[in-house]
C-alpha cells in the first residue's frame, strides 16, 4: 500500500518520516491551512529528503502565477489540487497532478474521473461545505468503491487505528494521511507513522 503523508512544516520531521519508507510527502501552499509553508520552508524540506520520495505540492484555487513561482523555486514531482480547479487549469503545468474530490452521496465520482481523465489519480476526501480538506473527518468509504480507470487515493479521517480497515475495505492505490499521524498541526509523530505503515500493510 502506497502511503503519502501531507502537511509537513519542518525539514528534519519530513526527513525522519521519509526514512521510514513512505512514498510521498505533501507540502501545503495554502495560506488558510495551519500546515501552510512558504517557498523557503518548502525548499528546506525538499532538500532534506532522501531519494525516491515523491514531492507533492498542494494548492487550493491558487493563482497560476503563484504556482509558476513555486515551481521555479521548489522541485516538485506532482501537483495536488484541492479547490474548484477545472481540468484545463490542472493540466496547464504539463506535470503529473492529482485532483482531490470532497465526497458525499451526491458526488459522481465516475463522471469526475472522466472529466479529469488527464489526472494521475483522484484523491477522495470527506466533504465539508467550507473546508478544502485537512479536516480529519472520515466519509462513507462505501462511496469510494467505484470502477474507474484512475488510481484512487483515499484520505479523510485516517489514523493508525483505521488504516487497515481503509486499505482492506476500499483497496485504494494509496492512503493519504495528515492530522491522523500528528502530535501538533504540521508536526508528525514518527511512532504514529510507524504504526500507520504497519497497519496499512497488514
Amino acid at each position: 500500500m502506497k502511503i503519502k503523508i501531507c502537511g509537513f512544516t519542518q525539514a528534519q520531521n519530513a526527513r525522519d518520516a521519509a526514512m521510514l519508507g513512505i512514498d510521498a510527502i505533501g507540502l501545503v501552499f495554502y495560506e488558510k491551512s495551519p500546515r501552510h509553508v512558504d517557498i523557503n520552508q518548502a525548499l528546506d524540506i525538499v532538500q532534506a529528503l532522501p531519494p525516491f520520495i515523491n514531492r507533492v505540492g498542494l494548492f487550493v484555487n491558487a493563482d497560476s502565477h503563484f504556482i509558476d513561482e513555486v515551481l521555479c523555486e521548489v522541485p516538485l514531482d506532482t501537483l495536488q489540487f484541492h479547490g474548484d480547479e477545472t481540468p484545463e487549469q490542472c493540466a496547464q503545468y504539463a506535470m503529473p497532478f492529482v485532483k482531490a474530490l470532497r465526497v458525499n452521496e451526491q458526488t459522481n465520482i465516475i463522471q469526475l474521473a472522466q472529466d479529469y481523465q488527464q489526472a494521475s489519480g483522484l484523491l477522495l476526501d470527506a466533504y465539508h461545505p467550507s473546508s478544502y480538506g485537512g479536516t480529519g473527518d472520515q466519509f462513507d468509504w462505501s462511496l469510494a468503491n467505484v470502477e474507474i480507470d484512475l488510481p484512487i487515493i483515499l484520505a479523510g479521517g485516517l489514523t493508525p487505528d483505521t488504516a487497515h480497515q481503509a486499505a482492506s475495505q476500499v483497496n485504494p492505490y494509496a492512503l493519504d494521511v495528515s492530522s491522523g499521524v500528528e502530535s501538533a498541526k504540521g508536526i508528525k509523530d514518527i511512532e504514529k507513522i510507524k504504526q500507520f505503515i504497519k497497519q496499512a500493510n497488514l
Side-chain angles (χ1 to χ4, degrees), residues 167-187:
S168 57
Q169 182 176 330
V170 180
N171 192 29
Y173 173 75
L175 297 177
D176 189 332
V177 61
S178 181
S179 61
V181 292
E182 285 184 333
S183 55
K185 291 185 185 300
I187 309 300

Side-chain angles (χ1 to χ4, degrees), residues 3 10 19 26 33 37 41 70 120 149 153 165 180 183-184 195:
I3 293 172
Q10 297 180 347
M19 293 297 286
S33 169
V37 292
Q41 282 177 288
V70 171
S120 298
D149 290 333
I153 302 156
Q165 181 188 354
S183 55
Q195 286 302 310

Side-chain angles (χ1 to χ4, degrees), residues 11 14-15 25 27 39-51 55 73-75:
R15 180 177 176 82
I25 66 112
L27 301 170
I39 287 176
N40 288 332
Q41 282 177 288
L43 198 53
D44 286 343
I45 292 168
V46 165
Q47 289 174 338
L49 295 175
R55 300 158 296 189
E73 299 290 338
V74 185

Side-chain angles (χ1 to χ4, degrees), residues 135-151:
T135 62
D137 295 335
Q138 182 179 322
F139 69 97
D140 180 358
W141 288 335
S142 68
L143 300 173
N145 286 315
V146 292
E147 291 292 327
I148 60 174
D149 290 333
L150 293 176

Side-chain angles (χ1 to χ4, degrees), residues 62-64 67-68 81 86-95 97:
D63 182 86
S64 61
I67 297 178
D68 285 335
F81 295 103
T86 65
E88 293 74 24
Q89 288 172 322
C90 294
Q92 67 180 304
Y93 305 96
M95 281 184 64
F97 73 89

Side-chain angles (χ1 to χ4, degrees), residues 58-188:
L58 187 155
F59 298 90
V60 180
N61 297 327
D63 182 86
S64 61
H65 295 295
F66 172 65
I67 297 178
D68 285 335
E69 181 184 358
V70 171
L71 291 175
C72 283
E73 299 290 338
V74 185
L76 298 175
D77 302 301
T78 304
L79 302 178
Q80 185 169 312
F81 295 103
H82 269 257
D84 307 304
E85 300 89 358
T86 65
E88 293 74 24
Q89 288 172 322
C90 294
Q92 67 180 304
Y93 305 96
M95 281 184 64
F97 73 89
V98 170
K99 183 67 182 80
L101 308 178
R102 293 177 290 166
V103 177
N104 61 17
E105 290 80 3
Q106 284 72 51
T107 307
N108 189 337
I109 298 172
I110 293 174
Q111 180 60 55
L112 288 164
Q114 294 174 353
D115 295 342
Y116 290 91
Q117 59 185 295
Q118 288 180 274
S120 298
L122 289 184
L123 185 144
L124 307 184
D125 201 352
Y127 178 83
H128 190 282
S130 61
S131 178
Y132 292 99
T135 62
D137 295 335
Q138 182 179 322
F139 69 97
D140 180 358
W141 288 335
S142 68
L143 300 173
N145 286 315
V146 292
E147 291 292 327
I148 60 174
D149 290 333
L150 293 176
I152 287 176
I153 302 156
L154 187 67
L158 294 174
T159 69
D161 293 333
T162 61
H164 175 65
Q165 181 188 354
S168 57
Q169 182 176 330
V170 180
N171 192 29
Y173 173 75
L175 297 177
D176 189 332
V177 61
S178 181
S179 61
V181 292
E182 285 184 333
S183 55
K185 291 185 185 300
I187 309 300
K188 309 307 177 186

